[in-house]
């Protein structure tokens, strides 16, 4: 998988998923394989572990996000990967939100995952505890990230607590003024839905990732395709680059 770099076939993913020792091997070999793969191994494994959805893959995922910086990948996709673990892992994901050992973008992603799984009473209580517990800059930044998410509850008490928070601590991204809070409260917040993680491994998505990272492939129409399918480029992925 590491050797195939960006383009990984679905059957290979399924084969890895069927192996019980996969999460362990991924964590053990992470750095070495990520170097070989031009950085794609790490990103692919986050999705793969999400698809596996078991205790071992959850623990591996936690370790990877705690010890590595996935930059914008964490903010955009991690919430969906965590949400895929489902209700059974609700308390485990809540622990990530509360654990100051994780970066705030990871904790924000975990919070978003909980909202997708089940925005229940437990999550309301957790939100209140987070706001009450702010005692440093990092916690303040986290609450600022979470305020727009918390508004989706439409809970009067949480709204008042957020208002108090902005008054007391001043503003930070993405809440700069307290009137913005009012706007968020009024607004019909769009609810995020879980994504199908297999979409990450679709040809269309992998070609899109190729395009934004490497530009259009500079190969002839009759050359073997960049995805490694063995077919000619003109009969394979060229359509995704048009
Ligand atoms: Zn191709």
């Amino acid at each position: 998988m590491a050797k195939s770099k960006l383009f990984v076939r679905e059957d290979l993913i399924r084969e890895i998923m069927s192996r019980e020792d996969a999460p362990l091997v991924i964590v053990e070999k992470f750095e070495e394989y990520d170097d070989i793969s031009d950085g794609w191994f790490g990103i692919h494994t986050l999705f793969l572990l999400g698809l596996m959805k078991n205790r071992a893959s959850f623990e591996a995922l936690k370790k990877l996000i705690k010890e590595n910086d996935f930059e914008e990948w964490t903010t955009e996709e991690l919430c969906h990967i965590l949400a895929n673990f489902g209700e059974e892992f609700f308390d485990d994901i809540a622990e990530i939100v509360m654990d100051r050992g994780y970066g705030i973008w990871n904790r924000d992603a975990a919070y978003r995952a909980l909202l997708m799984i089940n925005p229940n009473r437990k999550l309301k209580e957790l939100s209140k505890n987070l706001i009450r517990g702010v005692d440093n800059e990092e916690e303040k930044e986290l609450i600022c990230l979470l305020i727009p998410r918390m508004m989706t509850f439409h809970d009067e008490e949480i709204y008042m607590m957020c208002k108090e928070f902005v008054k007391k601590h001043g503003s930070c991204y993405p809440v700069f003024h307290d009137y913005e809070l009012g706007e968020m409260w009024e607004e019909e917040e769009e609810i995020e839905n879980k994504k199908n993680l297999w979409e990450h491994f679709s040809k269309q998505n992998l070609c899109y990732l190729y395009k934004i990272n490497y530009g259009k492939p500079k190969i002839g129409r009759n050359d073997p395709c960049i995805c490694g399918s063995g077919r000619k480029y003109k009969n394979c992925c060229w359509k995704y680059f048009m």
Side-chain angles (χ1 to χ4, degrees):
M1 175 173 161
K3 280 185 195 151
S4 50
K5 299 192 182 214
L6 170 58
F7 287 99
V8 182
R9 295 190 325 269
E10 224 182 274
D11 52 344
L12 187 56
I13 297 296
R14 288 192 194 277
E15 190 192 318
I16 298 170
M17 282 170 67
S18 71
R19 292 192 50 161
E20 234 173 83
D21 62 343
L24 207 69
V25 175
I26 286 169
V27 167
E28 250 172 42
K29 306 275 188 186
F30 181 79
E31 275 176 42
E32 180 192 335
Y33 287 178
D34 209 39
D35 281 345
I36 299 171
S37 78
D38 197 15
W40 294 108
F41 181 76
I43 289 161
H44 289 338
T45 50
L46 296 185
F47 286 91
L48 204 159
L49 294 168
L51 285 168
M52 289 180 80
K53 266 197 202 187
N54 57 40
R55 177 53 52 190
S57 75
F58 188 80
E59 294 305 320
L61 179 69
K62 272 181 15 183
K63 198 169 159 55
L64 291 187
I65 60 170
K66 204 166 195 172
E67 293 173 4
N68 300 278
D69 184 8
F70 290 95
E71 293 171 14
E72 70 268 27
W73 286 94
T74 330
T75 60
E76 293 305 317
E77 305 289 349
L78 184 61
C79 57
H80 295 286
I81 293 166
L82 287 168
N84 207 53
F85 281 90
E87 187 98 49
E88 208 185 310
F89 284 82
F90 190 94
D91 292 338
D92 299 279
I93 299 169
E95 268 175 37
I96 298 177
V97 179
M98 299 307 287
D99 186 341
R100 296 184 178 198
Y102 292 90
I104 58 170
W105 292 100
N106 288 332
R107 294 168 69 194
D108 175 54
Y111 190 94
R112 283 164 71 186
L114 295 178
L115 270 179
M116 285 187 233
I117 294 170
N118 186 359
N120 57 16
R121 193 185 46 79
K122 256 199 257 180
L123 187 52
K124 282 187 189 174
E125 283 314 308
L126 177 148
S127 307
K128 291 174 195 170
N129 289 338
L130 272 176
I131 300 173
R132 288 190 197 108
V134 173
D135 56 5
N136 65 26
E137 269 309 300
E138 188 154 285
E139 292 304 297
K140 184 186 144 186
E141 271 182 56
L142 175 69
I143 299 299
C144 287
L145 283 178
L146 294 183
I147 281 177
R149 330 264 189 230
M150 289 181 182
M151 291 292 115
T152 60
F153 281 126
H154 275 269
D155 178 282
E156 290 280 353
E157 195 186 345
I158 290 180
Y159 177 65
M160 291 316 290
M161 287 179 81
C162 291
K163 237 179 140 80
E164 278 300 304
F165 171 86
V166 176
K167 224 187 259 173
K168 184 172 166 196
H169 295 280
S171 53
C172 56
Y173 180 80
V175 189
F176 292 101
H177 303 283
D178 53 356
Y179 67 80
E180 284 169 318
L181 205 63
E183 284 171 8
M184 281 177 197
W185 177 254
E186 298 291 324
E187 237 172 61
E188 202 50 59
E189 180 77 30
E190 48 190 286
I191 302 196
E192 246 175 326
N193 288 314
K194 284 189 232 175
K195 263 195 216 164
N196 176 358
L197 301 185
W198 279 111
E199 276 171 27
H200 171 77
F201 296 106
S202 70
K203 270 264 178 84
Q204 197 165 359
N205 185 54
L206 297 180
C207 288
Y208 167 76
L209 294 175
Y210 187 99
K211 200 154 91 176
I212 58 171
N213 284 283
Y214 307 110
K216 276 193 186 187
K218 292 177 186 67
I219 56 170
R221 290 167 50 75
N222 290 313
D223 291 338
C225 189
I226 47 160
C227 75
S229 66
R231 296 163 67 198
K232 287 180 179 176
Y233 178 54
K234 69 177 177 189
N235 295 327
C236 194
C237 292
W238 70 274
K239 55 185 176 284
Y240 300 120
F241 292 94
M242 296 311 288

